[in-house]
Amino acid sequence: LLPVGAFIAAFIVGIVYWLSKKRLSPLGELTLAVQNREFIVHYQPIVALKTHICVGAEALVRWRRPDGSIVRPDLFIPLAEESGLILPITDQVIQAVVSDLGKLLVADRGLHIAINLSVSDLKTGRFLSVIENALDHTGIHNEQIWLEVTERGLMDIESARETITAARARGHMVAIDDFGTGYSSLQYLQGLPLDALKIDKTFIDTVGRDTATSSVTPHIIDMAKTLSLVAVAEGVKTKEQADSLAALGVAFGQGWFFARPLPLEEFIAFYHQSKHQ
Ligand code: C2E
Ligand code: CA
Ligand code: CA
Ligand code: CA
């Protein structure tokens, strides 16, 4: 009997070993990551261009794998969007923002956090109740949660309009992201109720330089003013850019000149330092 038992035991050990070595598909891995809540958020400061005081942050998702390595969103967001896993990932981002920064948001009513939304987020509108539940009893105001939507998210204009209208009715601020990179930005601007416009870094790159696009940037800024949209410059990399943008009347800026996306503790340190500079 003993040899048979040993044989069965060896067989089981072999199967377990084989299963542990077998590679999951990328979708299988991402599904597991969602189940195990492996998503964390880094915060890129958004500052007032006149004072360089931190007025907010953009929440940027990272996948922290069990071995501690960090995966950038460009590598998993497309699969997450295709598969529908983006919905539970958005949930985890919202919940992380509230547990990471709840105290700071209550202490500073002027502080806001911007959350990125995907096409399916806008289609389903599910994030609205997730935010409502996450903010419940925290004392955080809806006005402090901004939502960033890209033109891709606005393609299905009717469901986008409905969701954006509902979000604004609750007090959230809605920003159009990567403005100027799509093909019909102006059309979207006309037809949608929006609060803020994030000028894409391709336009910021040209500020202060003598190129064809650099003559476009001031017009984008003027248009934001005409439409009463708060302008946010993305990808600010130099002091010269920051100064020119402030002179052109852009309220807020974000980019490596001020800070990269930061892990929570570093963001909180940056925030306090900017207030007491
Ligand atoms: P995005 O929304 O346009 O976010 C800004 C990206 O620009 C970030 O890349 C940020 O690290 C990078 N960036 C910031 N300042 C500078 C700069 O001065 N120079 C340059 N070259 N880059 C700068 P990141 O964090 O890798 O995110 C990439 C994209 O992934 C985001 O682009 C956004 O579309 C998507 N994403 C990130 N987090 C989320 C999320 O929670 N949900 C969804 N749906 N999408 C997300
Ligand atoms: Ca964004
Ligand atoms: Ca952007
Ligand atoms: Ca982008």
Side-chain angles (χ1 to χ4, degrees), residues 189-252:
L189 272 193
Q190 269 202 333
L192 281 166
L194 296 166
D195 302 286
L197 182 158
K198 298 192 81 170
I199 308 165
D200 192 73
K201 47 183 165 285
T202 49
F203 293 99
I204 304 306
D205 282 342
T206 67
V207 168
R209 278 199 254 151
D210 188 19
T211 67
T213 15
S214 66
S215 60
V216 172
T217 314
H219 293 291
I220 297 181
I221 296 166
D222 280 342
M223 194 179 56
K225 277 186 207 150
T226 307
L227 296 169
S228 306
L229 299 174
V230 177
V232 184
E234 286 196 287
V236 179
K237 258 167 281 184
T238 67
K239 183 176 187 314
E240 291 66 36
Q241 287 171 352
D243 292 344
S244 314
L245 290 161
L248 287 167
V250 178
F252 299 152

Side-chain angles (χ1 to χ4, degrees), residues 41-45 54 57 100-101 104 258-274:
V41 175
H42 283 182
Y43 298 94
Q44 186 171 34
C54 181
D100 286 352
L101 290 169
L104 198 61
F258 303 109
R260 300 213 170 211
L262 303 171
L264 176 64
E265 299 306 325
E266 287 175 43
F267 167 68
I268 291 175
F270 178 95
Y271 165 82
H272 287 297
Q273 207 180 6
S274 88

Side-chain angles (χ1 to χ4, degrees), residues 46-61:
I46 297 172
V47 306
L49 282 171
K50 274 196 186 138
T51 58
H52 294 197
I53 288 176
C54 181
V55 297
E58 179 173 0
L60 293 159
V61 71

Side-chain angles (χ1 to χ4, degrees), residues 58 116 148 177:
E58 179 173 0
N116 288 285
E148 296 192 3
D177 199 1

